Amino acid sequence: MTSRLNPGVQDLLLVVDVQNDFCAGGALAVPGGDEVVAKVNRLASAFAHVLLTQDWHPPGHSSFASQHPGHRPFDTIQLPYGAQTLWPDHCVQGSRGAELHPELAIAHAELILRKGYRPEVDSYSAFYENDRRTPTGLAGYLRERGLRRLFLAGLATDYCVHYSALDGRREGFEVVVLLDACRGLDTQGSLDKALRAMRAAGVEIRADAA
Ligand code: VGL
Ligand code: ZN
């Protein structure tokens, strides 16, 4: 239950990529993705501070399988910064698929952080792009504002939630993943791997908070 969370002034809810393309009928639909919307709305009402992320790719982004002849979505290829999973075209800047889910109702959200806008680099994490070196500026933003503990909800558990959680720890924040308000893609065992990696990094995984 939300009330059990009892968030304080140094806590924030980070709502990850709750966008049309990750929900039913979207280009990269996460199974059950829509189910997080009502949960996230309910959670958000308990938090003074809410931030949203928005996956925001230019047309022809390098993470799109369509840009790599001979490859298909969910293949993994090597890009200059390392291994990269290829995706269907999704969350193209200005498209309907890139919009936040229309039933997301969080008027008091304070920041919408867009990521993945560099053509040559993907960005799962809200903190660092997939080269693991280019910061988005979020860590500095949170530190300047005195926000210290992140509660994560949204899509997808094993990609953007997972990498945001790990980087949050790496940047010295307390991180809690609200698992019931997340849904995963689970490509080739990725969900299980993500949960193990998050626990190993000191991320608290709460199964029942939403
Ligand atoms: C995501 C794959 C590609 C996510 C974004 O939000 O988890 N996954 N782009
Ligand atoms: Zn993406």
Side-chain angles (χ1 to χ4, degrees):
M1 290 294 99
T2 323
S3 54
R4 254 188 284 144
L5 283 177
N6 197 20
V9 291
Q10 297 186 319
D11 294 336
L12 75 138
L13 180 67
L14 184 65
V15 177
V16 177
D17 296 1
V18 182
Q19 294 167 259
N20 290 326
D21 269 344
F22 297 123
C23 293
L28 181 45
V30 178
D34 301 68
E35 294 163 13
V36 307
V37 175
K39 293 169 191 277
V40 162
N41 286 343
R42 204 154 50 233
L43 282 168
S45 65
F47 281 81
H49 306 295
V50 182
L51 277 55
L52 312 174
T53 66
Q54 192 173 23
D55 209 37
W56 195 248
H57 301 307
H61 190 257
S62 57
S63 75
F64 296 169
S66 61
Q67 302 307 301
H68 303 276
H71 286 283
R72 308 199 327 186
F74 309 104
D75 284 355
T76 300
I77 62 160
Q78 288 298 317
L79 288 182
Y81 54 81
Q84 171 68 48
T85 301
L86 298 179
W87 306 106
D89 289 25
H90 67 279
C91 296
V92 174
Q93 295 171 2
S95 69
R96 210 191 146 268
E99 288 171 16
L100 296 171
H101 191 288
E103 284 157 33
L104 210 54
I106 317 177
H108 68 295
E110 294 167 343
L111 177 74
I112 299 174
L113 181 103
R114 288 173 168 171
K115 61 182 179 61
Y117 48 74
R118 287 187 176 80
E120 302 311 322
V121 193
D122 202 4
S123 188
Y124 297 148
S125 162
F127 290 94
Y128 286 94
E129 303 198 17
N130 285 12
D131 61 5
R132 317 308 298 132
R133 304 151 54 106
T134 307
T136 63
L138 181 60
Y141 173 91
L142 296 177
R143 277 196 277 273
E144 279 204 37
R145 297 203 48 215
L147 297 166
R148 302 168 61 105
R149 184 165 59 158
L150 282 69
F151 291 79
L152 297 188
L155 307 170
T157 319
D158 37 354
Y159 288 93
C160 293
V161 172
H162 166 211
Y163 285 91
S164 298
L166 294 187
D167 283 347
R169 293 294 300 146
R170 172 179 161 200
E171 286 296 328
F173 298 97
E174 284 181 61
V175 181
V176 181
V177 169
L178 302 172
L179 205 55
D180 189 46
C182 300
R183 292 293 181 276
L185 280 163
D186 206 12
T187 56
Q188 299 128 31
S190 56
L191 193 52
D192 212 53
K193 252 187 270 173
L195 291 172
R196 273 186 275 124
M198 290 193 282
R199 286 198 178 97
V203 174
E204 186 188 337
I205 310 281
R206 279 196 210 168
D208 62 343

